[in-house]
Amino acid sequence: QSVLTQPPSASGTPGQRVTISCSGSSSNIGSNYVYWYQQLPGTAPKLLIYRNNQRPSGVPDRFSGSKSGTSASLAISGLRSEDEADYYCAAWDDSLSGSWVFGGGTKLTVL
Amino acid sequence: QVQLVQSGAEVKKPGASVKVSCKASGYTFTSYAMHWVRQAPGQRLEWMGWINAGNGNTKYSQKFQGRVTITRDTSASTAYMELSSLRSEDTAVYYCARAPKEWGRGYYYMDVWGKGTTVTVSS
């Protein structure tokens, strides 16, 4: 089963801009939308970005998503302490009979 | 507001089955699908399957095919996930997530998630 690849960790200081990458393949990111989820410690995932770069209502515009080929990125600008969380990318994978695949998660630390 | 309330933690012995429920409120239950996703300790999120709450059609991950059954009760706005032949590796937090259709694509994505149900498999 395909999986998506993310760096295990990222960090930044308050006010900085950080980016988190997500690498996939032609059967997932290359041919379908990318979604990003934020998981604060001990809580359920929350949808941050859908359809590569769309924000649900209530998500600050400090969060932005992009996609190019078989890779995607999540950018967080004006970093705040409450952004410290795990971030997961996800995409539908068309291989075999189809399945959702997730990245391994990136733990963001605000220094 | 949209809420998904899941059933409480479960402790099961290897070989047993577990059934987790997810009661939806704040939206029209039959207008969406419902996903089930699990997260083992320290592991990535893992998709198990979905059910179209309107017509009851299901799609399962090949990894869990034959071991997982997802059902729904429209009168109770509740979805269920049953996993059988439990083993220690099934110890995880199990989440339900509301699933809007991605129009023009053959899949549903996950927007609102339940708080999760911890299932522990131990002898």
Side-chain angles (χ1 to χ4, degrees):
Chain A
Q1 186 179 24
S2 300
V3 294
L4 306 180
T5 301
Q6 299 179 236
S9 64
S11 63
T13 55
Q16 252 189 339
R17 181 177 188 272
V18 297
T19 60
I20 296 171
S21 63
C22 175
S23 175
S25 67
S26 59
S27 62
N28 42 64
I29 292 179
S31 51
N32 292 298
Y33 294 125
V34 177
Y35 304 78
W36 289 91
Y37 297 91
Q38 176 193 59
Q39 187 173 34
L40 298 168
T43 70
K46 170 190 169 185
L47 179 64
L48 270 188
I49 298 287
Y50 66 104
R51 292 181 201 144
N52 303 331
N53 55 18
Q54 302 299 301
R55 282 186 309 278
S57 111
V59 172
D61 59 7
R62 301 187 297 106
F63 294 89
S64 62
S66 63
K67 180 183 120 169
S68 177
T70 58
S71 293
S73 291
L74 173 71
I76 309 171
S77 59
L79 200 60
R80 304 173 71 157
S81 58
E82 56 261 39
D83 298 332
E84 189 160 290
D86 292 326
Y87 292 84
Y88 293 90
C89 58
W92 178 255
D93 190 290
D94 292 323
S95 62
L96 300 174
S97 61
S99 177
W100 275 94
V101 290
F102 291 90
T106 297
K107 181 170 182 57
L108 175 63
T109 302
V110 181
L111 301 168
Chain B
Q1 74 283 20
V2 175
Q3 270 196 302
L4 300 175
V5 178
Q6 298 187 223
S7 49
E10 303 262 13
V11 178
K12 295 292 183 181
K13 293 200 181 303
S17 296
V18 68
K19 190 170 186 177
V20 180
S21 67
C22 171
K23 182 169 176 60
S25 62
Y27 71 98
T28 302
F29 179 69
T30 51
S31 295
Y32 292 80
M34 191 76 77
H35 286 288
W36 287 90
V37 177
R38 77 177 188 181
Q39 188 171 35
Q43 301 299 308
R44 69 182 67 209
L45 297 163
E46 186 172 36
W47 178 70
M48 301 180 72
W50 75 50
I51 185 165
N52 179 321
N55 61 21
N57 288 347
T58 54
K59 183 169 181 66
Y60 300 124
S61 163
Q62 283 200 337
K63 175 174 178 175
F64 298 100
Q65 191 87 38
R67 229 172 35 105
V68 68
T69 305
I70 299 174
T71 57
R72 96 288 192 220
D73 178 349
T74 56
S75 66
S77 297
T78 300
Y80 303 90
M81 185 284 300
E82 184 169 21
L83 187 63
S84 62
S85 304
L86 290 169
R87 33 209 189 231
S88 58
E89 309 89 88
D90 294 317
T91 294
V93 177
Y94 289 76
Y95 294 102
C96 59
R98 191 181 72 161
K101 180 77 183 285
E102 194 58 90
W103 294 106
R105 309 288 175 122
Y107 59 85
Y108 302 88
Y109 66 99
M110 299 127 207
D111 64 354
V112 179
W113 296 59
K115 291 188 187 303
T117 296
T118 299
V119 175
T120 303
V121 183
S122 173
S123 53

